[in-house]
PDB file of all heavy atoms in Angstrom:
ATOM      1  N   VAL A 153     -24.339 -24.537  19.353  1.00  0.00           N
ATOM      2  CA  VAL A 153     -23.822 -24.648  17.987  1.00  0.00           C
ATOM      3  C   VAL A 153     -23.710 -26.124  17.600  1.00  0.00           C
ATOM      4  O   VAL A 153     -23.106 -26.920  18.327  1.00  0.00           O
ATOM      5  CB  VAL A 153     -22.447 -23.974  17.852  1.00  0.00           C
ATOM      6  CG1 VAL A 153     -21.975 -24.023  16.401  1.00  0.00           C
ATOM      7  CG2 VAL A 153     -22.503 -22.537  18.345  1.00  0.00           C
ATOM      8  N   ILE A 154     -24.288 -26.473  16.455  1.00  0.00           N
ATOM      9  CA  ILE A 154     -24.141 -27.825  15.893  1.00  0.00           C
ATOM     10  C   ILE A 154     -23.238 -27.722  14.678  1.00  0.00           C
ATOM     11  O   ILE A 154     -23.572 -27.047  13.702  1.00  0.00           O
ATOM     12  CB  ILE A 154     -25.506 -28.422  15.506  1.00  0.00           C
ATOM     13  CG1 ILE A 154     -26.396 -28.562  16.749  1.00  0.00           C
ATOM     14  CG2 ILE A 154     -25.332 -29.772  14.820  1.00  0.00           C
ATOM     15  CD1 ILE A 154     -27.786 -29.101  16.445  1.00  0.00           C
ATOM     16  N   SER A 155     -22.087 -28.382  14.767  1.00  0.00           N
ATOM     17  CA  SER A 155     -21.118 -28.349  13.674  1.00  0.00           C
ATOM     18  C   SER A 155     -20.083 -29.429  13.918  1.00  0.00           C
ATOM     19  O   SER A 155     -20.069 -30.082  14.967  1.00  0.00           O
ATOM     20  CB  SER A 155     -20.444 -26.972  13.598  1.00  0.00           C
ATOM     21  OG  SER A 155     -19.491 -26.933  12.551  1.00  0.00           O
ATOM     22  N   SER A 156     -19.208 -29.608  12.951  1.00  0.00           N
ATOM     23  CA  SER A 156     -18.050 -30.467  13.144  1.00  0.00           C
ATOM     24  C   SER A 156     -16.990 -29.688  13.900  1.00  0.00           C
ATOM     25  O   SER A 156     -16.715 -28.524  13.588  1.00  0.00           O
ATOM     26  CB  SER A 156     -17.511 -30.926  11.785  1.00  0.00           C
ATOM     27  OG  SER A 156     -16.259 -31.562  11.948  1.00  0.00           O
ATOM     28  N   ALA A 157     -16.388 -30.306  14.912  1.00  0.00           N
ATOM     29  CA  ALA A 157     -15.413 -29.603  15.752  1.00  0.00           C
ATOM     30  C   ALA A 157     -14.216 -29.140  14.952  1.00  0.00           C
ATOM     31  O   ALA A 157     -13.597 -28.115  15.277  1.00  0.00           O
ATOM     32  CB  ALA A 157     -14.964 -30.512  16.898  1.00  0.00           C
ATOM     33  N   SER A 158     -13.859 -29.871  13.908  1.00  0.00           N
ATOM     34  CA  SER A 158     -12.664 -29.546  13.140  1.00  0.00           C
ATOM     35  C   SER A 158     -12.960 -28.652  11.935  1.00  0.00           C
ATOM     36  O   SER A 158     -12.041 -28.304  11.189  1.00  0.00           O
ATOM     37  CB  SER A 158     -11.986 -30.836  12.650  1.00  0.00           C
ATOM     38  OG  SER A 158     -12.879 -31.593  11.841  1.00  0.00           O
ATOM     39  N   ALA A 159     -14.202 -28.271  11.747  1.00  0.00           N
ATOM     40  CA  ALA A 159     -14.575 -27.500  10.561  1.00  0.00           C
ATOM     41  C   ALA A 159     -14.050 -26.078  10.646  1.00  0.00           C
ATOM     42  O   ALA A 159     -14.153 -25.419  11.692  1.00  0.00           O
ATOM     43  CB  ALA A 159     -16.092 -27.490  10.389  1.00  0.00           C
ATOM     44  N   ALA A 160     -13.487 -25.589   9.536  1.00  0.00           N
ATOM     45  CA  ALA A 160     -13.013 -24.205   9.490  1.00  0.00           C
ATOM     46  C   ALA A 160     -14.179 -23.237   9.661  1.00  0.00           C
ATOM     47  O   ALA A 160     -14.014 -22.153  10.238  1.00  0.00           O
ATOM     48  CB  ALA A 160     -12.304 -23.950   8.157  1.00  0.00           C
ATOM     49  N   GLY A 161     -15.365 -23.614   9.187  1.00  0.00           N
ATOM     50  CA  GLY A 161     -16.534 -22.750   9.338  1.00  0.00           C
ATOM     51  C   GLY A 161     -16.880 -22.501  10.788  1.00  0.00           C
ATOM     52  O   GLY A 161     -17.292 -21.396  11.159  1.00  0.00           O
ATOM     53  N   PHE A 162     -16.724 -23.509  11.646  1.00  0.00           N
ATOM     54  CA  PHE A 162     -16.998 -23.339  13.074  1.00  0.00           C
ATOM     55  C   PHE A 162     -15.998 -22.365  13.688  1.00  0.00           C
ATOM     56  O   PHE A 162     -16.370 -21.493  14.493  1.00  0.00           O
ATOM     57  CB  PHE A 162     -16.935 -24.692  13.788  1.00  0.00           C
ATOM     58  CG  PHE A 162     -16.989 -24.596  15.285  1.00  0.00           C
ATOM     59  CD1 PHE A 162     -18.098 -24.071  15.928  1.00  0.00           C
ATOM     60  CD2 PHE A 162     -15.919 -25.019  16.063  1.00  0.00           C
ATOM     61  CE1 PHE A 162     -18.145 -23.975  17.307  1.00  0.00           C
ATOM     62  CE2 PHE A 162     -15.958 -24.929  17.442  1.00  0.00           C
ATOM     63  CZ  PHE A 162     -17.069 -24.400  18.062  1.00  0.00           C
ATOM     64  N   GLN A 163     -14.731 -22.479  13.326  1.00  0.00           N
ATOM     65  CA  GLN A 163     -13.716 -21.561  13.839  1.00  0.00           C
ATOM     66  C   GLN A 163     -14.009 -20.133  13.382  1.00  0.00           C
ATOM     67  O   GLN A 163     -13.855 -19.178  14.159  1.00  0.00           O
ATOM     68  CB  GLN A 163     -12.320 -22.004  13.367  1.00  0.00           C
ATOM     69  CG  GLN A 163     -11.959 -23.445  13.709  1.00  0.00           C
ATOM     70  CD  GLN A 163     -11.997 -23.727  15.201  1.00  0.00           C
ATOM     71  OE1 GLN A 163     -11.710 -22.847  15.996  1.00  0.00           O
ATOM     72  NE2 GLN A 163     -12.346 -24.954  15.565  1.00  0.00           N
ATOM     73  N   ASP A 164     -14.419 -19.966  12.137  1.00  0.00           N
ATOM     74  CA  ASP A 164     -14.764 -18.637  11.632  1.00  0.00           C
ATOM     75  C   ASP A 164     -15.935 -18.048  12.409  1.00  0.00           C
ATOM     76  O   ASP A 164     -15.954 -16.849  12.733  1.00  0.00           O
ATOM     77  CB  ASP A 164     -15.130 -18.711  10.139  1.00  0.00           C
ATOM     78  CG  ASP A 164     -13.937 -19.078   9.271  1.00  0.00           C
ATOM     79  OD1 ASP A 164     -12.794 -18.912   9.740  1.00  0.00           O
ATOM     80  OD2 ASP A 164     -14.156 -19.541   8.132  1.00  0.00           O
ATOM     81  N   PHE A 165     -16.925 -18.870  12.701  1.00  0.00           N
ATOM     82  CA  PHE A 165     -18.105 -18.421  13.455  1.00  0.00           C
ATOM     83  C   PHE A 165     -17.704 -17.935  14.847  1.00  0.00           C
ATOM     84  O   PHE A 165     -18.103 -16.839  15.277  1.00  0.00           O
ATOM     85  CB  PHE A 165     -19.095 -19.586  13.562  1.00  0.00           C
ATOM     86  CG  PHE A 165     -20.268 -19.323  14.463  1.00  0.00           C
ATOM     87  CD1 PHE A 165     -21.362 -18.625  14.019  1.00  0.00           C
ATOM     88  CD2 PHE A 165     -20.270 -19.802  15.775  1.00  0.00           C
ATOM     89  CE1 PHE A 165     -22.455 -18.390  14.855  1.00  0.00           C
ATOM     90  CE2 PHE A 165     -21.346 -19.572  16.616  1.00  0.00           C
ATOM     91  CZ  PHE A 165     -22.439 -18.860  16.153  1.00  0.00           C
ATOM     92  N   GLU A 166     -16.891 -18.728  15.559  1.00  0.00           N
ATOM     93  CA  GLU A 166     -16.455 -18.360  16.909  1.00  0.00           C
ATOM     94  C   GLU A 166     -15.632 -17.074  16.888  1.00  0.00           C
ATOM     95  O   GLU A 166     -15.800 -16.200  17.743  1.00  0.00           O
ATOM     96  CB  GLU A 166     -15.628 -19.501  17.512  1.00  0.00           C
ATOM     97  CG  GLU A 166     -16.437 -20.746  17.841  1.00  0.00           C
ATOM     98  CD  GLU A 166     -17.277 -20.555  19.085  1.00  0.00           C
ATOM     99  OE1 GLU A 166     -16.725 -20.657  20.190  1.00  0.00           O
ATOM    100  OE2 GLU A 166     -18.491 -20.299  18.957  1.00  0.00           O
ATOM    101  N   ARG A 167     -14.751 -16.958  15.898  1.00  0.00           N
ATOM    102  CA  ARG A 167     -13.883 -15.777  15.814  1.00  0.00           C
ATOM    103  C   ARG A 167     -14.712 -14.519  15.527  1.00  0.00           C
ATOM    104  O   ARG A 167     -14.461 -13.459  16.112  1.00  0.00           O
ATOM    105  CB  ARG A 167     -12.843 -15.983  14.718  1.00  0.00           C
ATOM    106  CG  ARG A 167     -11.744 -14.932  14.681  1.00  0.00           C
ATOM    107  CD  ARG A 167     -10.744 -15.214  13.567  1.00  0.00           C
ATOM    108  NE  ARG A 167     -10.245 -16.573  13.628  1.00  0.00           N
ATOM    109  CZ  ARG A 167     -10.530 -17.521  12.759  1.00  0.00           C
ATOM    110  NH1 ARG A 167     -11.324 -17.253  11.737  1.00  0.00           N
ATOM    111  NH2 ARG A 167     -10.021 -18.735  12.877  1.00  0.00           N
ATOM    112  N   GLN A 168     -15.692 -14.642  14.653  1.00  0.00           N
ATOM    113  CA  GLN A 168     -16.523 -13.490  14.308  1.00  0.00           C
ATOM    114  C   GLN A 168     -17.322 -13.003  15.517  1.00  0.00           C
ATOM    115  O   GLN A 168     -17.478 -11.787  15.721  1.00  0.00           O
ATOM    116  CB  GLN A 168     -17.477 -13.877  13.169  1.00  0.00           C
ATOM    117  CG  GLN A 168     -18.272 -12.725  12.574  1.00  0.00           C
ATOM    118  CD  GLN A 168     -17.439 -11.858  11.671  1.00  0.00           C
ATOM    119  OE1 GLN A 168     -16.329 -12.222  11.319  1.00  0.00           O
ATOM    120  NE2 GLN A 168     -17.951 -10.707  11.311  1.00  0.00           N
ATOM    121  N   LEU A 169     -17.820 -13.920  16.337  1.00  0.00           N
ATOM    122  CA  LEU A 169     -18.551 -13.524  17.545  1.00  0.00           C
ATOM    123  C   LEU A 169     -17.631 -12.870  18.562  1.00  0.00           C
ATOM    124  O   LEU A 169     -17.957 -11.829  19.155  1.00  0.00           O
ATOM    125  CB  LEU A 169     -19.221 -14.745  18.180  1.00  0.00           C
ATOM    126  CG  LEU A 169     -20.550 -15.231  17.604  1.00  0.00           C
ATOM    127  CD1 LEU A 169     -21.136 -16.319  18.495  1.00  0.00           C
ATOM    128  CD2 LEU A 169     -21.547 -14.093  17.464  1.00  0.00           C
TER     129      LEU A 169
END
Side-chain angles (χ1 to χ4, degrees):
V153 184
I154 298 178
S155 179
S156 170
S158 59
F162 171 63
Q163 305 301 328
D164 293 340
F165 172 82
E166 290 285 281
R167 190 180 308 110
Q168 188 76 11
L169 279 188

